[in-house]
Amino acid sequence: MADATANSAESKLKDAAAAGGVSAIYRGWFSEISPLWPGEANCLKMEEIIFQQKSKYQDILVFKSATYGNVLVLDGVIQVTERDECAYQEMIAHLPLCSISNPKKVLVIGGGDGGVLREVSRYSSVQQIDICEIDEMVVDVAKKFFPRLAIGYEDHRVRVHIGDGVEFLKNVPSGTYDAIIVDSSDPIGPAEELFKRPFFELVAKALRPGGVVSTQAESFWLHLDIIEGIAANCRQIFKGSVNYAWTSIPTYPSGMIGFMLCSTEGPPVDFRHPVHSFDEGGSHDTAKEPLRYYNKEIHSSAFCLPSFAKKVLEPKSK
């Protein structure tokens, strides 16, 4: 049965790759191929295909890899692996939350695997954690095959909303949240709207004065033009700080991914210098395991950019 599933998955992904789509499986290797990163592919050796099904929104594949544990793939693009997920989940959550004092209400857009919820739950000051995920099947798959991430759903402060993040934000009263974390896939398919100006305007409206947002913002090696556009929109919409940070993650294209960190007008936020440290208390470990990637030094260094990216993304002093 497992061989039949593997053969079926391989056939479907070969057809998709031939049609100009993303990813392929060949002789036991998964290759992530996409027009978003032409001329290169990321390959992982597969041991077993665990799950494959098309949801209402996207193709969902889970396989056990030889070196990175279970791997979640959406529309042919790797989203999560058990081995390196900490570098993404911890950074997208703690870069904003450690930059403000005593966050109480937090919204997660996307993040159906539960990893961001796991990290937000570490903060004892947080009273309410809302998550809006468009694809319920992603949530179900995560709970079954990625329990270390999906443990985030077990926190009593979490309220799950299945639906479109843009529509959810339209109904949020102004100034509701201290922090919003946008854990989106790439700007194609279901996540496309989460990279556009109207979405950022809704985010800014939903944040309190001095509130913060952290959103997935692509790789400066591959999509500097996209990041430049995001930064330009954010500087017009958010009247506080706007910074780009990044983290190393081996299974993402180019081996890294970035985040756009923004704050609204109000109490100033200095993202480069965290005001909260896990070494100083003020958090509790609902996640049941210590941080594996994030620390105070990593936080500050995440905002250091190579010269070519700094020239484009950091505003010129007048």
Side-chain angles (χ1 to χ4, degrees):
M1 186 66 179
D3 290 341
T5 302
N7 290 336
S8 173
E10 181 168 343
S11 176
K12 289 178 182 178
L13 288 173
K14 276 185 177 179
D15 291 343
V22 293
S23 78
I25 298 172
Y26 184 65
R27 293 186 177 179
W29 286 80
F30 174 85
S31 297
E32 184 179 283
I33 304 166
S34 171
L36 281 172
W37 34 90
E40 61 183 270
N42 186 27
C43 298
L44 289 178
K45 186 171 180 57
M46 305 172 69
E47 291 189 347
E48 177 187 5
I49 291 177
I50 299 172
F51 177 90
Q52 186 189 30
Q53 193 169 325
K54 185 173 180 61
S55 74
K56 182 179 178 182
Y57 299 98
Q58 55 204 336
D59 286 306
I60 301 176
L61 170 69
V62 180
F63 67 87
K64 182 179 180 182
S65 71
T67 51
Y68 281 84
N70 286 355
V71 180
L72 173 65
V73 180
L74 300 180
D75 279 342
V77 177
I78 294 171
Q79 305 297 317
V80 164
T81 85
E82 290 181 308
R83 179 177 173 183
D84 66 4
E85 55 86 6
C86 58
Y88 179 87
Q89 314 288 353
E90 293 179 15
M91 293 293 276
I92 197 173
H94 300 311
L95 288 176
L97 292 179
C98 280
S99 298
I100 57 175
S101 299
N102 301 315
K104 292 179 173 60
K105 292 185 177 181
V106 179
L107 170 64
V108 179
I109 300 288
D113 54 63
V116 173
L117 296 179
R118 180 192 67 197
E119 297 308 315
V120 176
S121 73
R122 295 183 190 271
Y123 292 80
S124 57
S125 66
V126 171
Q127 300 169 358
Q128 177 181 322
I129 310 170
D130 289 328
I131 179 170
C132 184
E133 163 62 47
I134 197 170
D135 197 337
E136 188 170 18
M137 189 180 290
V138 172
V139 177
D140 295 337
V141 165
K143 289 179 178 179
K144 187 170 183 180
F145 303 113
F146 297 88
R148 283 177 60 183
L149 286 93
I151 193 174
Y153 285 103
E154 297 179 12
D155 192 285
H156 70 278
R157 296 166 292 177
V158 171
R159 306 190 307 185
V160 180
H161 309 267
I162 300 299
D164 180 82
V166 175
E167 293 304 315
F168 180 86
L169 280 171
K170 287 178 180 178
N171 296 308
V172 170
S174 298
T176 296
Y177 295 104
D178 299 285
I180 296 175
I181 300 170
V182 185
D183 179 10
S184 67
S185 51
D186 294 300
I188 54 174
E192 185 175 359
E193 294 300 314
L194 306 186
F195 288 80
K196 295 182 178 179
R197 183 185 178 100
F199 174 74
F200 289 120
E201 291 173 340
L202 290 172
V203 168
K205 174 177 172 288
L207 287 170
R208 64 155 171 85
V212 295
V213 59
S214 173
T215 181
Q216 190 272 101
E218 301 299 323
S219 163
F220 53 61
W221 288 110
L222 299 175
H223 301 122
L224 194 56
D225 56 336
I226 293 176
I227 302 167
E228 184 181 15
I230 294 172
N233 279 333
C234 288
R235 289 194 183 99
Q236 293 177 14
I237 295 165
F238 298 94
K239 303 303 181 181
S241 300
V242 175
N243 295 96
Y244 180 86
W246 61 281
T247 188
S248 168
I249 183 160
T251 54
Y252 284 0
S254 80
M256 59 81 63
I257 196 69
F259 314 103
M260 197 65 67
L261 283 299
C262 310
S263 65
T264 56
E265 187 175 15
V269 176
D270 182 358
F271 287 111
R272 295 171 183 263
H273 300 95
V275 298
H276 174 93
S277 171
F278 286 97
D279 297 330
E280 298 166 359
S283 65
H284 66 276
D285 199 359
T286 303
K288 298 181 180 176
E289 63 177 49
L291 293 168
R292 292 193 292 148
Y293 188 90
Y294 177 89
N295 57 49
K296 196 160 47 176
E297 293 76 22
I298 284 282
H299 182 120
S300 296
S301 66
F303 296 89
C304 297
L305 300 178
S307 295
F308 73 88
K310 186 175 182 178
K311 181 178 180 182
V312 172
L313 298 178
E314 292 190 357
K316 313 293 187 297
S317 57
K318 295 181 181 179

